[in-house]
Amino acid sequence: MEYLDNLNKEQKEAVMHIDGPCLVVAGAGSGKTKVLTTRIAYLIDKGIYSSHILAITFTNKAAKEMRERVNLLTANNYAFVGTFHSFGLRIIKENYEAMGLKKNFTIIDSDDVLTIIKKVMKEKGIDVREISPSYIRNRISFIKNEMLSESDINKYFLSEIEKIAAEVYFAYEKTLRKNNVIDFDDLLKLPVELFLKNKNILDLYQEKYQYILVDEYQDTNEVQYKMIKLLSSKYRNIFVVGDQNQAIYGFRQANYKNILNFEKDYPDAEVIVLNQNYRSTTTILNVANSVIKNNVERKEVNLFSELGEGVKVKYLRCQNGLDEANLIVKEINSLLELGYKKKDIAIFYRTNAQSRIYEEALLKNSLPYKVVGSFYFYKRKEIKDLISYLKLIANNDDDVSLLRVINEPKRGIGLKSIEGLTAKAQREGTSIFEAIDKGKELEFKKMILDITEYSENLSLTELIDLVLEKSTMKEELEKIHTLEADIRLENLMEFRSITENYQNVTGSVNLQDFLEEISLIADITEHKEDNDEITLMTFHSAKGLEFKVVFMVGMEEGIMPHMNAFNEENGLEEERRLCYVGITRAKERLYLTNAKIRMLYGKDMLNPPSRFIGEIDSKYIESNIKEEAQVKKEDYYLDNAEECNYKSGDVVVHMTYGRGVVIAVDNRFVSVAFSKQYGIRKFLKNYKGLKKG
């Protein structure tokens, strides 16, 4: 058993624990996967049949890695190493009759779930425009993962919308059984129900799996917790590994209290703490420890490292978001000169919508990057939809944009209608827009024409608000009530920042010019595949990863910690754990950045620095705080548009377009005719970049 020689004292103690309950509190970077895989090999080598071993983790990737590592350590490995869902599927396959299923049952995906929900809603006369099918799908998943009984549902689902969700749930379940199908949540729910109802079957699985190992125990939800507790209740050889300080999935119904309560469930449990970190410098770990110690609900894990003190954490306090992004690029270029590779560097942010400003800064400086767990900002579906609306408003003859949004959001315009319109336009030699003359398509056409007319007297940001309202894009996402919908809505709101910045810098409210500007940035050909790329991702996506250099950006109150956390029970504690996860991804260098003034969702925000920065001992931080004049809107605009007394015929000068003549003036805008190259441009009247010549 040479593999034991590569373990420290605590790791070895955990690996050599055989019988009885054991909790391994594994701090970040302390080698928990090594402990799990080595223990499986050790059990087999000590004479325990590998077929009696069950090792459960959360992702297929983690399960594959565990299997490969075990196979390198020992031969004759027949242990079940897989995800909760793959294990649940095995149980269902072996007991389908006891669950009222036929052998040829099928598993439906989330899109199929939505289709069935819509069918049930239609049968019950429930308007999908009033209650989103995605919201109901979310509530059904909650019911199943929390193992709610009918009486529980009647007790807790009290609002009108929840009562409707419950009604659809019961009909949905009947539809599944009738069609001999199950959904993804059933892979966990049905086995637990089987064990609770049939003691003989439970006993068979308790005999089969006498040694149970669970990875990331802090991320288990109610149904997963019950599954493990039932299976291990006979032999009680339950070995769980986790770190409550890294419990960041409360929004997925993960219950971090499962790990805190392990010793209550098993009073005789052996508890082993792995606190030697093999990833980060001592300074980075001291920063992590100083932040997480402020959480009340936690187990004590004071991480230490033998990798050396390392450099201090850099705190960059910037004037605004643009300044922050540019300063990060400057630091990255310095790191590259020091010998770091781009793939060594990661930028973490709290929400997907924040990525845009860093993407643009990297693009403009020819630094390749990849966005993990999401699309590039301009390639996200909702952003492409919004841009298509804007293109169609700017050019009614744009068939490509029209075809993208004519039924987005859904407005009852079917494929046959669109094909008929396309054929008509081809016959008549016109655009599809011009060919529209009846039905729901005509309603869409009138909406576009109305917006086009209104746009003449609106700023670009006001136009965005109008499009989101009239198209019902905003309303539809607000109705859905899911995490995905909230993210998409945040991205749409962040688009307002793009128009606001564009207006601030150029003074222009010309839609055509704006679309030309963003098309240069939005071109996906800029994102060429490259093995050496900077990584952009949310804090949540960073779990389980590591980088030599980490930038934690937007470290401001209301962003990190997120504003939603202020209104949720234990919300700040989960945000602090999220911060801890971010810090402990860094191996050598860590940067914390924020801005005095930040434009987010089209609004200037004056957020104080994150409380988490204040929790760090100053001796670990090197700050570059510069007291520069704050960039304000007044730098671009006069306070009062009335002071700008333009009149038709005035000669004016613009910094980009040169000399021009005022041809129209109203309360807010001034239209100027420039040379043939630039034509007529419209500006906000109080824009300082335009002066009388």
Side-chain angles (χ1 to χ4, degrees):
M1 297 184 192
E2 292 179 1
Y3 49 71
L4 294 176
D5 297 337
N6 298 323
L7 305 174
N8 65 33
K9 177 176 170 289
E10 289 76 20
Q11 289 174 333
K12 193 177 292 185
E13 189 182 344
V15 165
M16 297 175 74
H17 173 95
I18 294 182
D19 295 317
C22 180
L23 167 63
V24 178
V25 181
S30 63
K32 71 175 179 63
T33 305
K34 188 179 194 179
V35 165
L36 280 164
T37 52
T38 309
R39 181 170 186 264
I40 295 170
Y42 184 78
L43 290 173
I44 295 169
D45 289 346
K46 292 299 282 186
I48 290 160
Y49 290 120
S50 61
S51 57
H52 284 329
I53 299 170
L54 170 66
I56 299 284
T57 187
F58 278 83
T59 66
N60 290 315
K61 181 183 174 187
K64 181 174 181 283
E65 183 187 349
M66 284 173 67
R67 282 193 294 270
E68 289 171 351
R69 287 208 206 180
V70 173
N71 291 336
L72 288 173
L73 294 172
T74 186
N76 304 316
N77 170 33
Y78 300 102
F80 183 95
V81 181
T83 64
F84 275 100
H85 289 93
S86 64
F87 178 64
L89 178 58
R90 171 175 285 198
I91 295 169
I92 295 171
K93 279 183 172 179
E94 293 171 353
N95 301 276
Y96 59 88
E97 286 179 323
M99 298 177 183
L101 295 168
K102 296 174 186 173
K103 189 175 183 179
N104 64 338
F105 72 87
T106 52
I107 306 165
I108 56 173
D109 62 22
S110 59
D111 288 338
D112 294 330
V113 169
L114 215 52
T115 301
I116 295 171
I117 287 171
K118 287 175 183 175
K119 183 172 177 287
V120 170
M121 291 175 74
K122 188 176 181 182
E123 289 169 357
K124 291 186 170 292
I126 301 166
D127 192 343
V128 296
R129 290 173 296 185
E130 296 298 320
I131 300 172
S132 163
S134 295
Y135 165 77
I136 291 179
R137 180 178 61 185
N138 197 38
R139 300 316 288 161
I140 289 173
S141 183
F142 174 79
I143 289 169
K144 293 191 175 192
N145 280 292
E146 290 296 305
M147 298 286 295
L148 298 184
S149 65
E150 186 170 345
S151 61
D152 290 332
I153 294 168
N154 293 333
K155 183 178 177 183
Y156 297 117
F157 279 46
L158 300 176
S159 69
E160 283 306 308
I161 191 170
E162 286 180 323
K163 285 177 181 175
I164 292 170
E167 183 187 352
V168 174
Y169 164 71
F170 293 123
Y172 166 83
E173 283 293 272
K174 285 179 184 175
T175 304
L176 292 197
R177 298 301 157 256
K178 180 184 170 186
N179 290 278
N180 193 38
V181 298
I182 61 175
D183 63 26
F184 205 62
D185 294 320
D186 285 330
L187 295 175
L188 302 177
K189 175 177 169 274
L190 293 179
V192 173
E193 287 179 342
L194 178 72
F195 293 158
L196 289 169
K197 291 173 186 172
N198 196 317
K199 191 178 182 307
N200 291 334
I201 292 177
L202 173 61
D203 189 63
L204 284 172
Y205 283 97
Q206 288 173 335
E207 285 296 327
K208 183 172 177 63
Y209 298 111
Q210 297 178 17
Y211 291 86
I212 299 172
L213 301 86
V214 186
D215 187 18
E216 303 283 16
Y217 192 67
Q218 78 280 350
D219 292 335
T220 52
N221 62 19
E222 185 65 19
V223 67
Q224 291 161 340
Y225 168 77
K226 283 184 176 176
M227 178 186 280
I228 295 301
K229 199 160 191 292
L230 286 164
L231 282 171
S232 63
S233 60
K234 185 171 186 178
Y235 287 99
R236 303 180 76 255
N237 296 324
I238 171 77
F239 182 93
V240 304
V241 179
D243 180 9
Q244 194 269 326
N245 291 335
Q246 296 185 71
I248 59 173
Y249 297 122
F251 63 93
R252 294 182 190 164
Q253 281 86 53
N255 186 359
Y256 66 88
K257 291 188 178 177
N258 289 341
I259 196 167
L260 292 175
N261 292 334
F262 188 84
E263 291 161 87
K264 290 180 184 174
D265 291 339
Y266 307 96
D268 57 333
E270 182 177 355
V271 179
I272 300 165
V273 178
L274 306 182
N275 56 5
Q276 181 171 353
N277 176 285
Y278 292 90
R279 176 189 298 149
S280 308
T281 64
T282 298
T283 297
I284 289 170
L285 296 184
N286 285 337
V287 168
N289 289 332
S290 62
V291 170
I292 202 64
K293 73 180 182 184
N294 292 279
N295 268 8
V296 176
E297 289 193 304
R298 70 189 188 94
K299 287 189 174 290
E300 195 69 31
V301 185
N302 283 309
L303 295 174
F304 72 93
S305 169
E306 294 179 354
L307 297 175
E309 187 175 335
V311 298
K312 286 186 176 183
V313 169
K314 268 197 176 183
Y315 171 34
L316 307 179
R317 179 87 166 127
C318 308
Q319 296 301 322
N320 54 49
L322 190 60
D323 181 30
E324 180 194 40
N326 290 334
L327 199 52
I328 288 169
V329 165
K330 186 179 175 184
E331 288 290 333
I332 287 173
N333 283 324
S334 297
L335 291 165
L336 297 177
E337 286 177 12
L338 287 174
Y340 284 98
K341 294 181 178 176
K342 290 180 277 292
K343 65 183 177 183
D344 296 331
I345 301 167
I347 298 173
F348 298 164
Y349 35 80
R350 180 61 180 83
T351 64
N352 280 296
Q354 288 173 255
S355 75
R356 178 194 62 82
I357 196 166
Y358 311 109
E359 288 188 53
E360 290 185 5
L362 293 170
L363 272 174
K364 286 173 182 174
N365 288 274
S366 302
L367 289 168
Y369 67 90
K370 62 181 177 182
V371 181
V372 174
S374 182
F375 293 103
Y376 299 101
F377 185 84
Y378 286 100
K379 303 312 290 183
R380 291 167 185 163
K381 178 189 178 301
E382 60 276 12
I383 298 301
K384 290 179 75 174
D385 289 346
L386 178 54
I387 291 173
S388 290
Y389 270 110
L390 296 176
K391 286 179 177 178
L392 187 58
I393 291 160
N395 172 17
N396 293 164
D397 295 331
D398 183 345
D399 285 353
V400 174
S401 294
L402 179 140
L403 290 171
R404 182 177 180 92
V405 297
I406 192 169
N407 199 39
E408 186 62 52
K410 299 286 184 289
R411 48 177 62 92
I413 301 173
L415 211 55
K416 283 189 177 178
S417 298
I418 294 169
E419 287 172 355
L421 274 174
T422 305
K424 182 185 176 189
Q426 286 175 342
R427 283 195 311 271
E428 297 178 357
T430 67
S431 67
I432 296 173
F433 190 87
E434 194 174 332
I436 294 172
D437 60 3
K438 63 182 178 181
K440 290 178 179 173
E441 303 94 300
L442 186 57
E443 290 176 27
F444 171 78
K445 180 177 183 177
K446 286 178 179 176
M447 176 191 73
I448 296 297
L449 290 172
D450 284 347
I451 297 173
T452 305
E453 185 180 345
Y454 282 128
S455 69
E456 294 298 315
N457 298 303
L458 297 175
S459 70
L460 289 171
T461 306
E462 289 166 341
L463 174 59
I464 298 301
D465 289 339
L466 185 66
V467 170
L468 293 178
E469 179 195 341
K470 294 288 186 185
S471 69
T472 73
M473 287 177 75
K474 185 179 179 184
E475 181 187 343
E476 289 298 315
L477 291 172
E478 286 174 337
K479 279 196 308 192
I480 291 174
H481 299 299
T482 64
L483 180 67
E484 180 190 357
D486 289 346
I487 290 170
R488 289 173 65 191
L489 190 55
E490 281 184 354
N491 290 336
L492 289 172
M493 292 298 101
E494 176 58 14
F495 198 88
R496 299 173 82 255
S497 297
I498 302 173
T499 55
E500 199 67 19
N501 275 323
Y502 177 79
Q503 288 172 176
N504 283 350
V505 174
T506 66
S508 173
V509 291
N510 290 284
L511 180 56
Q512 196 67 48
D513 290 350
F514 171 71
L515 289 170
E516 287 172 9
E517 174 81 10
I518 63 168
S519 68
L520 300 175
I521 301 168
D523 186 358
I524 197 65
T525 58
E526 293 284 349
H527 303 283
K528 294 184 173 69
E529 286 296 317
D530 193 323
N531 291 326
D532 189 20
E533 299 169 311
I534 295 156
T535 303
L536 275 66
M537 62 174 66
T538 63
F539 283 92
H540 282 101
S541 299
K543 179 101 180 288
L545 303 176
E546 59 182 41
F547 300 90
K548 287 184 180 179
V549 182
V550 167
F551 287 85
M552 290 170 53
V553 302
M555 294 295 291
E556 298 149 33
E557 290 288 293
I559 298 178
M560 183 64 184
H562 195 277
M563 63 185 76
N564 291 350
F566 302 142
N567 303 316
E568 297 169 359
E569 186 182 2
N570 301 315
L572 282 171
E573 294 226 339
E574 178 143 336
E575 290 293 296
R576 190 174 280 109
R577 292 194 292 269
L578 196 54
C579 180
Y580 174 84
V581 165
I583 293 168
T584 53
R585 301 308 96 195
K587 296 168 75 173
E588 297 175 9
R589 293 174 183 267
L590 176 66
Y591 291 78
L592 307 173
T593 74
N594 57 28
K596 294 178 182 177
I597 183 169
R598 178 182 302 280
M599 183 174 288
L600 197 58
Y601 314 134
K603 296 178 181 176
D604 285 333
M605 302 168 75
L606 295 165
N607 297 324
S610 169
R611 68 188 64 200
F612 303 144
I613 293 175
E615 292 169 356
I616 302 169
D617 191 319
S618 59
K619 68 184 178 186
Y620 303 128
I621 292 180
E622 174 191 329
S623 174
N624 80 325
I625 292 178
K626 303 175 290 181
E627 291 303 324
E628 297 174 359
Q630 191 157 307
V631 178
K632 300 174 184 174
K633 213 163 186 174
E634 291 75 46
D635 295 337
Y636 296 108
Y637 293 98
L638 296 169
D639 290 335
N640 189 354
E642 297 302 319
E643 294 177 19
C644 310
N645 54 347
Y646 293 111
K647 61 182 186 295
S648 292
D650 282 350
V651 175
V652 292
V653 178
H654 185 276
M655 60 179 119
T656 303
Y657 306 129
R659 297 176 76 83
V661 177
V662 174
I663 59 170
V665 184
D666 59 27
N667 288 336
R668 300 179 59 204
F669 304 108
V670 54
S671 296
V672 181
F674 292 99
S675 64
K676 190 176 180 181
Q677 181 184 356
Y678 299 114
I680 296 170
R681 294 287 188 270
K682 186 190 276 189
F683 303 94
L684 292 163
K685 199 171 168 187
N686 56 343
Y687 176 55
K688 284 186 177 179
L690 191 70
K691 299 187 183 296
K692 289 187 179 181

